[in-house]
Amino acid sequence: MTGPDQIAERKMQFLFALRSKGVTDARVLGAMEKIDRGPFIRGYFADRAYEDMPLPIACGQTISQPSVVALMTQALKLSPRDKVLEVGTGSGYQAAILSQLARRVYTVDRHKRLVREASEIFRALDLTNITALTADGSFGLPDQAPFDRIIVTAAAEDPPGPLLAQLKIGGIMVVPVGQSDAVQSLIRVTRSADGFDYDELRPVRFVPLVEGLGRDTA
Ligand code: SAH
């Protein structure tokens, strides 16, 4: 049995692990404390929700490591007025964290099942400022563009052109770049009136950004 003391202890260790990995933004830490990762992990691995490791989810995908979720969120420098696009809904955990720090979150995944399951959790947790849609996120979400912030949680060989085009001037995009089977680099792209500035943040490892919709869409 897991008692209240054990839960409090796990939570403290979870937040400590985030801080020790460079998560210093109090608002990001607050969102990580508030949103329980447990509901986003179904089945066998549910008891490992509070460990700082990626875990398997449905459709052969993974929920990212919490410290990576937090560091990517921190890198976005969100303001409460922001409209954000996430490419790669997966479990919905990253979108739930974003929903605490932004005005509106659109999240898309190529797998209909993941979008459906994540939407169920958003409803259950009353996270009403998230809209999850099935779409090929390499093309962004033209209907809702432009965005203040864009986060891609699958690795692209280069930042996709349509996503760059859908970023507002002054906007920020965080995207893992590199080949899928190698270590990738997390890149932060900042759009100014003159063009795009690129910052390389840290090595990461993500599943690849894949073109087209998943076969479960039919
Ligand atoms: N952010 C997620 C983890 C994402 S794993 C979380 O918090 O759990 C990467 C996700 O990107 C997978 O679910 C995969 O289906 C999705 N994906 C890959 N290529 C895509 C594309 N072109 N468009 C939309 N989603 C894509």
Side-chain angles (χ1 to χ4, degrees), residues 116-145:
R116 179 174 26 88
E117 292 183 352
S119 301
E120 284 166 14
I121 304 175
F122 301 149
R123 246 191 314 278
L125 298 179
D126 208 22
L127 303 175
T128 53
N129 63 339
I130 310 178
T131 304
L133 301 162
T134 309
D136 179 349
S138 359
F139 299 104
L141 201 53
D143 287 357
Q144 298 299 337

Side-chain angles (χ1 to χ4, degrees), residues 61-62 86 88-91 94 109-111 114 136-137 153 207 210:
Q61 305 302 316
T62 50
E86 180 195 24
T89 310
S91 67
Q94 171 78 72
D109 203 288
R110 57 189 292 279
H111 286 292
L114 294 176
D136 179 349
T153 61
V207 297
V210 177

Side-chain angles (χ1 to χ4, degrees), residues 13-23 29 32 52 66-67 70:
Q13 280 173 359
F14 181 76
L15 292 170
F16 184 78
L18 296 179
R19 281 200 200 89
S20 73
K21 291 193 174 153
V23 185
L29 286 165
M32 298 294 294
D52 192 25
S67 58

Side-chain angles (χ1 to χ4, degrees), residues 143-161:
D143 287 357
Q144 298 299 337
F147 296 96
D148 300 289
R149 300 289 185 264
I150 299 178
I151 176 170
V152 186
T153 61
E157 283 184 29
D158 292 300

Side-chain angles (χ1 to χ4, degrees), residues 158-176:
D158 292 300
L163 295 183
L164 291 171
Q166 290 174 27
L167 195 58
K168 281 188 194 169
I169 292 177
I172 297 175
M173 170 159 75
V174 174
V175 52

